[in-house]
Every structure is written in C-alpha cells, then in structure tokens.
Amino acid sequence: SSSAHLDKKPRGDGPDETKLWELTFAFCDRWKNSTDALGARNVIAAFYLLCTLAQNSLHIYPSDETWFAYVGRFLALYVRDTNTATGEAVRLSPFVTGLLENKPTLKNKVTVRTMAAADGPSAWAEMINKDCSKATHEKVPTIIGEDALSDPKVELVLLAAEYIQGDWLNKFNTTRTGAPFYGTGEGAPVGKCNMMEYRDLERSGGGVLLFEGQFCDAVLLQTTKGEGEQKKLTNFYGLVVLPKGEKGKPTDPEMMEKAAEEIKNNLAALKTIAANHTRSNAMLEMPRIKQSMKPFELTDDCQKILPEELMKPFAINNVTQVERAPGQWQNSPCEVGAVYHSTFLQVHETGFEAAAATVIVVYRSLGAADEEENPKIIRADRGFLFYLVDLGPQPHVLYLSRVLDDT
C-alpha cells in the first residue's frame, strides 16, 4: 500500500463539522506505534491554542469552538523572563494578554507561568511536569526533560493536558484469562490476553452497534457519565475496529491500513448507527488494553500534517515581545521548535480511562534581524484498532490505539 496519502495536508477547506475528523485522522494515519496510544484531540488542542495566539492557520479548525471548551483540559503558557542569547527581557504581547483576559474560550482557562533565568532548565522542566502530572491525575507524570529546554532560543512553552474517564453503557461481564491473541503480520507469535466478553446477547444490551464494512467490522460502545439519577449517555464512543481476516490467524497489516481508511471515510455511516441505536445480532469480545507512553517527539509528524505557514521559521508572531531598549518592546518572531506527546489509555470491563499531554516548545527565530442465527461474534483476538471518538456535532478522534500484539 502506498504512503502517498500520508503527505497530503488537511486543507481545511471542507465543511466546518468535518474539519476536526479530518485533522485528528491525519495524525492517526501517521501513527504506527503498536505499543502506544495517540491522543489526537489533545495534540490539535495544543496547536489550537498556539494558532489562536499567533492568529495563524485557524482555517484548519471549525469556527465553532465548542469542542475546545472541554472541562477536563488544562492549558498553560510558560514564558521566559529573559532571552539567554541577548539578555533582553521577554514578555507576552499585549495582544495575547488581551486574548487571555477577554476571549471566552481562554478567559480563566490558561495558566501563565514564568521560566525565570535564575532557575534554569531543570527547574522549568520540574514546574511543567508538576502541572502535567496534576492535570492528568498522575497518568502522565513527565512530558519534558531539561535537555529540551536548554536551547538558548527557547522563548515559550505551551502545554495542553487532559484526563477523561467514562463507563460503558453495557459493561463486559466475564473475562477469560490467558486467551490466545494472534497478533499482526505473517508469522506473528501467538500471545495471551485477558479477553472481555458478554455472557449473552441480552447482557450486551441486545446486541451491539455494528458497522459492517468491506474491510472491517466495527463495534461502537456507548459511554455514560455520572451515577444513578445523574447518569447520562455521552457523545463518546469506544470504536473497536477488527480488520477482515481468518479465524486463528494474525491480522494482515495491509488490511489494517484499509480498515483505518474505511473508518475515516465512513463518518456519516457511523453517526447514523450511533444516532439510531440500531443493534445487530452480534456480540463483541475484546482484550483489556493498558498502554502508557513515555514522552515521544511528534515534531516531524506535525511538520508534515500542519500548514507550512504555521510550522516554518518566523511563523509565530506577536505572541512574545522583547525589550530592545528600556520601555521599547518589539515583536519577537518565533517558530515551533519541538513537540512532545505522552498518553495513558486503559480499557477495562466497566469503562475507560485516558490521559494525554502535549507540549509545544517555541523557539525564537534567529534571522537577519538577530542572527438471526447465532449472534455474529466479533472477536478481537488478533491485531485490531481501538479508537475513542466523539460523534457529537463536531466529530473527532480523541484516542487511537493500534493493538498489534498482546498487551
């Protein structure tokens, strides 16, 4: 299969309601790590903050900001007090401080802290990691190391961190330990997993919400928030995508790609299944998932997916200023230097728990100025895809996990 489609950037000229789906899937398309989950929504939330502050590339996002007002999200800006290379004082521009004070989606929602020269990179990393750990309920204890902050060009760091948890509407009620897992790719070793299942059709809610495609079967798991009287359905769905294949054999990697592409291209069908709550005569069996990813550099993927006018040198303007002479503040042109991402994902019998953090390190740009029969069983006992998706008015992928081998 060709990877040509990977280098097509989302143009952001489609209808508003599919922009986030397109953008989050652009990250999912490039994500090939079998042992780690990707927090696609968290990455685009971090960049949305940067795009808003820099007034750059906002066209790739919907104009309706509802998706961004997620309750469990922590946003922070860490600003240098002086530039190491020049000794000039640094501050956020008045435009940015105005946005933070007045824009409804940002007001009282963005923590601003100073990276004081006297403290140094080690203390800055500690400060950022402490915020990250707290915001993710300790699921992502560190997101950045002092090395990433030691470059004298570092001027600003953005952090977006989130923690979400939900319950399945229909909980799995039995678990087979030591069940075989056939993996992915020819000759894959047979592993072992804890296979979660429903005892009978009735316990699964009378069958599952099923999308039957050409290349995959996909089950939508409805989620709820709250307890007792307060309990209500949410727009979040677990989406278990099993590529077509033979029983007791590994999943073919090419079929995995086709399945991912099919899901991406069938948003309308998935939304219809979710809206109609049409249950099929089918049951799901899937392994528990628990994945915890150490910080991973995502800079290269971001360069390939996000608009060039956002990722090139001198692209980030009027976000920070430097003091050229006493009381004379000037724009300090900057650029995206590095992006780090870390996640936690757990899927168990009663629900899910997920956390993600993304850090964008912004460098000062040095340039001229400066230098009816039996139910069908969808048994995910070989390579499969697990998405956590929002199928509300602004659909997008929150998390993607490629489960290629036993976890």
Side-chain angles (χ1 to χ4, degrees):
S1 71
S2 92
S3 58
H5 73 282
L6 290 184
D7 293 322
K8 286 216 301 275
K9 291 177 185 275
R11 291 202 305 273
D13 55 2
D16 237 25
E17 57 274 15
T18 56
K19 282 182 177 179
L20 296 175
W21 187 256
E22 189 186 1
L23 196 50
T24 48
F25 256 102
F27 281 94
C28 292
D29 279 347
R30 297 194 66 84
W31 193 247
K32 299 294 178 264
N33 297 20
S34 64
T35 52
D36 302 311
L38 167 75
R41 179 182 70 176
N42 181 261
V43 176
I44 68 163
F47 272 98
Y48 185 65
L49 176 59
L50 181 63
C51 291
T52 303
L53 301 183
Q55 293 292 294
N56 184 326
S57 301
L58 284 164
H59 67 279
I60 62 174
Y61 291 96
S63 50
D64 176 349
E65 294 180 291
T66 317
W67 71 277
F68 187 66
Y70 177 67
V71 188
R73 180 178 294 126
F74 175 82
L75 299 167
L77 298 173
Y78 305 86
V79 195
R80 291 293 314 266
D81 60 350
T82 46
N83 180 286
T84 309
T86 63
E88 293 165 334
V90 180
R91 70 175 188 190
L92 288 176
S93 70
F95 171 74
V96 165
T97 51
L99 275 183
L100 299 181
E101 282 162 23
N102 303 309
K103 190 172 165 55
T105 43
L106 300 180
K107 191 179 176 177
N108 302 328
K109 292 186 179 72
V110 183
T111 302
V112 178
R113 302 196 196 283
T114 303
M115 293 190 285
D119 296 338
S122 165
W124 306 338
E126 199 179 317
M127 166 172 71
I128 295 168
N129 289 329
K130 195 174 158 186
D131 283 342
C132 178
S133 182
K134 189 178 170 191
T136 60
H137 294 216
E138 292 165 16
K139 300 299 180 201
V140 181
T142 56
I143 184 63
I144 197 162
E146 64 175 294
D147 290 358
L149 298 171
S150 299
D151 190 305
K153 298 194 294 290
V154 172
E155 190 134 311
L156 174 75
V157 174
L158 282 85
L159 168 67
E162 68 179 23
Y163 171 83
I164 58 175
Q165 146 313 290
D167 301 312
W168 305 130
L169 173 64
N170 304 107
K171 304 185 182 1
F172 292 94
N173 35 32
T174 60
T175 304
R176 273 188 299 136
T177 54
F181 189 84
Y182 299 100
T184 310
E186 216 173 322
V190 180
K192 296 255 186 283
C193 68
N194 293 310
M195 187 66 77
M196 309 187 295
E197 48 197 32
Y198 295 107
R199 254 186 235 120
D200 51 47
L201 206 59
E202 202 181 323
R203 295 217 172 107
S204 73
V208 293
L209 304 183
L210 178 65
F211 167 82
E212 294 185 272
Q214 187 186 344
F215 302 113
C216 67
D217 289 311
V219 174
L220 284 83
L221 297 171
Q222 293 164 288
T223 68
T224 63
K225 277 297 273 184
E227 299 294 326
E229 300 284 295
Q230 307 301 308
K231 187 162 147 178
K232 55 179 198 292
L233 281 170
T234 77
N235 287 327
F236 292 172
Y237 289 80
L239 182 59
V240 183
V241 179
L242 184 66
K244 300 275 182 181
E246 285 180 69
K247 207 170 166 171
K249 294 261 173 72
T251 296
D252 173 10
E254 196 172 329
M255 196 54 85
M256 195 87 144
E257 297 305 315
K258 287 179 170 164
E261 191 73 7
E262 185 166 46
I263 289 299
K264 177 171 79 175
N265 295 333
N266 277 282
L267 172 61
L270 294 171
K271 286 197 75 162
T272 303
I273 293 166
N276 298 342
H277 296 309
T278 317
R279 293 187 175 270
S280 296
N281 186 27
M283 289 208 300
L284 172 70
E285 298 179 10
M286 71 172 286
R288 289 181 196 151
I289 300 173
K290 185 170 184 179
Q291 299 180 330
S292 187
M293 178 172 82
K294 299 218 171 357
F296 176 87
E297 188 168 344
L298 207 56
T299 321
D300 185 51
D301 287 347
C302 294
Q303 291 282 6
K304 292 197 165 69
I305 293 165
L306 297 166
E308 195 196 345
E309 68 261 28
L310 177 66
M311 301 302 290
K312 65 185 184 188
F314 303 98
I316 309 300
N317 279 291
N318 300 314
V319 175
T320 52
Q321 295 184 327
V322 289
E323 194 176 24
R324 291 281 186 219
Q328 288 182 6
W329 293 89
Q330 280 183 11
N331 170 42
S332 176
C334 291
E335 63 196 73
V336 172
V339 184
Y340 299 96
H341 182 63
S342 181
T343 53
F344 171 88
L345 174 69
Q346 187 164 17
V347 176
H348 47 71
E349 286 76 359
T350 61
F352 69 89
E353 203 179 3
T358 306
V359 146
I360 306 172
V361 183
V362 177
Y363 286 178
R364 183 175 199 175
S365 292
L366 297 176
D370 241 299
E371 241 23 79
E372 291 317 283
E373 43 303 58
N374 283 338
K376 170 173 176 169
I377 302 284
I378 291 101
R379 179 176 294 138
D381 63 354
R382 51 188 176 78
F384 69 100
L385 299 160
F386 178 83
Y387 296 88
L388 195 59
V389 295
D390 184 324
L391 293 178
Q394 299 182 295
H396 55 270
V397 178
L398 288 93
Y399 291 85
L400 159 67
S401 170
R402 288 173 168 261
V403 185
L404 303 189
D405 42 44
D406 58 332
T407 49

